[in-house]
Amino acid sequence: MSLVSLSNVSVRYGRLTAVRGVTFTLAEGEILFITGPNGAGKSSLLRAIAGVTPPAGGRIDFADHDITGRAPEDIARLGLSMVPEGRDVFGSLTIEENLMVGTGMHARERSWKARAANELEAVYATFPILKERRHTQAGLLSGGQQQMLVIGRALMTNPRLVAIDEPSLGLAPNITDQVYERLITLRAERRLTLLIVEQSSTRAMMVGGRMMLMRGGEILLDGDARALGQSEAMQAAYFGYGEH
Amino acid sequence: MAPIMQVVFDALSLGSLYALGALGIALIFGVMRLVNFAHGDVIAFCVFALLWPSVDAVAIIFAGNLPWFLLIPFTLAVGAGLSVLSEVVVFRRFRRANPATMMIASFALGFVIRYFLLMLFSSRPKSISLLPGLSQPVELLGARIPLLQLITILVTIAVLIGLTAFLRRTRFGLEMRAAAENFTMARMLGVRANRVIMGAFALSGALAAAIALILGSQTGTANIMMGASVMLMAFIATVIGGMGSLAGAVIAGFALGAIATVMQVILPPDARAFRDAFVYGAVILVLIFRPQGLLAARGTKERV
Ligand SMILES: Nc1ncnc2c1ncn2[C@@H]1O[C@H](COP(=O)(O)OP(=O)(O)O)[C@@H](O)[C@H]1O
Ligand SMILES: [Mg+2]
């Protein structure tokens, strides 16, 4: 049973086509890395799925709903949590306030407050540093702490899919290690489906799972992360050898 | 020389008006990068909503005769209602337009409201007596000040405390603050854009109504242009305060009120007519040295 399914999705900015006819499905519980050089269209694809940049063509389904062209808040409410490139913390809000922003989507349900409190404790258990600094303004955190905050914030809504755009961007390798360690644990604990965008295939090969290579707005390769990562086809496709 | 306390109360009450006006502009600018020039016309509309339509010189007070405990909620509801209506009918269509386009749309909306009032009431200022009894003076700290001035200051303080509590303590306030900083991110967390924006418009409209009540009682006239002069100062206060920063808007509003009042006192009588020129001069100086405003708003990410 697929959780996400894209069919022939394209994204345009004026006359520039950033994503061309992308088609794939993602099963519940799967982990998928989308890698590819700068400008490949990875972020555009993720923003299209999250509803931030509506696709110019094609169809996107999530959790048995056609979400093509739906508003980002509606898509979020179906259980898709997006962590955009560049860690968009609300800098003037405290850590705890940042974490609470997303819990409003369950405010209609009974006992949502108790649930939000539970989620908060769960996130704090995963990222103890956030609990320590819970009343600190998020803008004052280091890059690594901000990355943990946005991942924690994405989890607060109890999502089915978490899509993360370049979690390692601007982080020291050992901090990136920590972030990934937590992600992998969380995925196991919660049966999360993960869609992670990274420029390089290094992380995908370490973590394992499925990997796709994107370049020029298209998916060129799709397969097992470790097998693909070592293949020559990957090298060739990434750098575009033998084309011209 | 006027007694010093007198000057202090004058400055505070004038600053209150500017602060309330600046808040109304900053609230909307914060969530949707719209500089709403129709805000002043919403103020005028609220005053005229208390009168029966007629082009005669004499005002026919209608809703304005309600006892204060009905008059105040009625006026606040009119302001909030008109403001929300302007969002639903006009501004929603411009959500994805650039800020200049939205600003022009707000000018146009302001003209529509103004000419609508003109049609129903003519352009002649009408004398009205709103909340009479508030003009009687009270003795306070050695100054004789009109009761209304005192109430204006107290109401403004109450509004500021209430708004702060609302923004800090409620779910909706949290969503508004998040949206003001980064609207797209807030939406990706399930925050409903339309609800937050309508909330901001409702609050802003209610603030306009509060100004309308104060101005109407203070001046004893209903004038189609009555919102415009407050609005200009309020707009300047939002710019000085750092567009979108609520605290900055309030501080700058009070500062402008103080500068204007003090200039009124210290300028030689011949120069008093040019008071506003001096105030604007001070504004230019502030902007030269702090172009981002006194308290720059933190969120600069793209909206909606
Ligand atoms: N908001 C935008 N407006 C115009 N062009 C954009 C915008 N965002 C991205 N692009 C262009 O789309 C292409 C793909 O960009 P992006 O999706 O950010 O790629 P990646 O995330 O893989 O680096 C690039 O050529 C980029 O310049
Ligand atoms: Mg990118």
Side-chain angles (χ1 to χ4, degrees):
Chain A
M1 182 64 236
S2 73
L3 180 62
V4 187
S5 126
L6 277 74
S7 131
N8 211 16
V9 170
S10 59
V11 175
R12 292 203 192 95
Y13 303 104
R15 288 164 68 191
L16 180 124
T17 303
V19 175
R20 354 178 145 248
V22 165
T23 300
F24 69 84
T25 63
L26 186 57
E28 181 117 47
E30 214 177 347
I31 177 164
L32 168 64
F33 284 89
I34 299 182
T35 60
N38 200 8
K42 307 179 299 293
S43 298
S44 301
L45 181 62
L46 230 52
R47 283 200 302 269
I49 297 174
V52 178
T53 310
R59 176 184 162 132
I60 307 174
D61 285 88
F62 175 74
D64 301 323
H65 292 265
D66 180 358
I67 58 165
T68 325
R70 295 276 296 273
E73 56 265 41
D74 295 339
I75 295 172
R77 281 161 185 265
L78 290 173
L80 193 158
S81 220
M82 160 91 163
V83 180
E85 200 172 4
R87 301 187 275 278
D88 282 337
V89 300
F90 302 112
S92 68
L93 273 54
T94 66
I95 289 183
E96 192 150 306
E97 286 172 338
N98 264 274
L99 292 172
M100 292 304 287
V101 170
T103 60
M105 67 169 74
H106 301 301
R108 286 262 170 100
E109 295 161 26
R110 282 175 53 210
S111 73
W112 71 277
K113 278 196 173 150
R115 254 183 57 192
N118 281 341
E119 284 297 333
L120 194 62
E121 281 316 311
V123 168
Y124 282 154
T126 313
F127 303 111
I129 182 72
L130 296 184
K131 182 168 194 173
E132 230 169 84
R133 308 194 64 183
R134 65 210 290 176
H135 299 303
T136 309
Q137 281 198 349
L140 302 175
L141 300 179
S142 70
Q145 290 166 351
Q146 290 192 356
Q147 189 63 58
M148 295 180 193
L149 174 57
V150 289
I151 291 172
R153 190 176 64 186
L155 293 170
M156 286 294 294
T157 58
N158 205 3
R160 294 174 73 179
L161 171 76
V162 179
I164 312 180
D165 199 348
E166 300 208 30
S168 63
L169 192 75
L171 298 188
N174 63 323
I175 304 290
T176 309
D177 288 345
Q178 282 181 30
V179 169
Y180 267 98
E181 203 179 285
R182 307 288 160 77
L183 271 178
I184 302 314
T185 320
L186 283 167
R187 173 171 171 253
E189 283 171 5
R190 300 182 177 223
R191 251 181 74 72
L192 268 183
T193 311
L194 285 179
L195 173 51
I196 303 177
V197 162
E198 286 283 9
Q199 277 204 29
S200 92
S201 54
T202 330
R203 285 287 155 185
M205 289 169 66
M206 285 164 66
V207 173
R210 180 175 160 201
M211 176 162 74
M212 299 195 315
L213 177 84
M214 194 169 181
R215 212 168 67 87
E218 287 172 297
I219 305 289
L220 299 183
L221 298 171
D222 181 351
D224 176 73
R226 294 199 172 100
L228 254 190
Q230 286 158 351
S231 70
E232 293 200 358
M234 179 79 187
Q235 295 290 316
Y238 197 103
F239 296 107
Y241 298 153
E243 285 178 18
H244 305 286
Chain B
M1 168 98 188
I4 203 88
M5 283 321 285
Q6 189 72 59
V7 177
V8 170
F9 280 111
D10 282 348
L12 283 176
S13 67
L14 188 61
S16 291
L17 277 182
Y18 295 161
L20 291 176
L23 261 183
I25 297 174
L27 269 171
I28 291 179
F29 185 85
V31 294
M32 63 186 295
R33 306 276 108 166
L34 160 70
V35 181
N36 185 12
F37 280 102
H39 197 65
D41 300 293
V42 175
I43 296 176
F45 185 93
C46 289
V47 174
F48 281 96
L50 305 176
L51 312 180
W52 190 255
S54 93
V55 292
D56 298 339
V58 183
I60 307 172
I61 310 271
F62 184 57
N65 284 331
L66 291 168
W68 65 270
F69 57 88
L70 292 178
L71 176 70
I72 292 171
F74 173 81
T75 317
L76 294 180
V78 168
L82 178 63
S83 188
V84 168
L85 193 70
S86 66
E87 141 66 8
V88 173
V89 175
V90 180
F91 295 121
R92 186 164 293 184
R93 332 262 148 206
F94 295 93
R95 223 32 103 59
R96 286 177 176 276
N98 69 33
T101 309
M102 288 203 290
M103 194 172 83
I104 290 167
S106 82
F107 266 118
L109 175 69
F111 276 111
V112 170
I113 296 174
R114 198 175 307 164
Y115 281 91
F116 176 73
L117 293 177
L118 191 77
M119 218 165 64
L120 292 184
F121 295 96
S122 89
S123 63
R124 266 179 297 187
K126 297 168 194 287
S127 93
I128 55 172
S129 91
L130 265 190
L131 302 170
L134 291 190
S135 49
Q136 76 205 29
V138 288
E139 294 270 351
L140 194 78
L141 301 170
R144 277 174 70 80
I145 57 169
L147 186 56
L148 180 64
Q149 218 176 40
L150 192 63
I151 290 180
T152 301
I153 297 166
L154 292 178
V155 163
T156 304
I157 292 170
V159 165
L160 295 181
I161 292 174
L163 192 62
T164 308
F166 172 78
L167 289 174
R168 302 244 157 243
R169 302 250 179 273
T170 69
R171 163 101 245 145
F172 199 73
L174 176 65
E175 292 183 359
M176 271 186 74
R177 282 189 293 141
E181 190 155 326
N182 186 338
F183 211 120
T184 306
M185 189 62 237
R187 295 182 75 185
M188 285 191 274
L189 291 166
V191 171
R192 291 198 161 118
N194 284 342
R195 272 188 33 179
V196 168
I197 288 177
M198 288 209 312
F201 270 94
L203 279 175
S204 165
L207 288 170
I211 297 175
L213 283 171
I214 294 169
L215 271 185
S217 325
Q218 222 169 47
T219 61
T221 46
N223 178 348
I224 286 172
M225 297 302 294
M226 66 192 302
S229 59
V230 180
M231 260 320 289
L232 188 55
M233 280 295 188
F235 172 65
I236 289 170
T238 37
V239 173
I240 299 181
M243 293 300 302
S245 157
L246 300 185
V250 171
I251 293 169
F254 277 108
L256 280 181
I259 294 173
T261 309
V262 169
M263 285 199 176
Q264 186 72 32
V265 176
I266 62 171
L267 286 180
D270 292 343
R272 276 184 201 160
F274 305 106
R275 180 192 76 178
D276 286 355
F278 288 97
V279 176
Y280 295 136
V283 168
I284 291 173
L285 285 181
V286 169
L287 290 181
I288 286 173
F289 292 106
R290 269 192 79 83
Q292 73 277 40
L294 294 175
L295 298 178
R298 273 149 304 216
T300 47
K301 294 263 178 181
E302 110 198 36
R303 314 280 127 165
V304 192

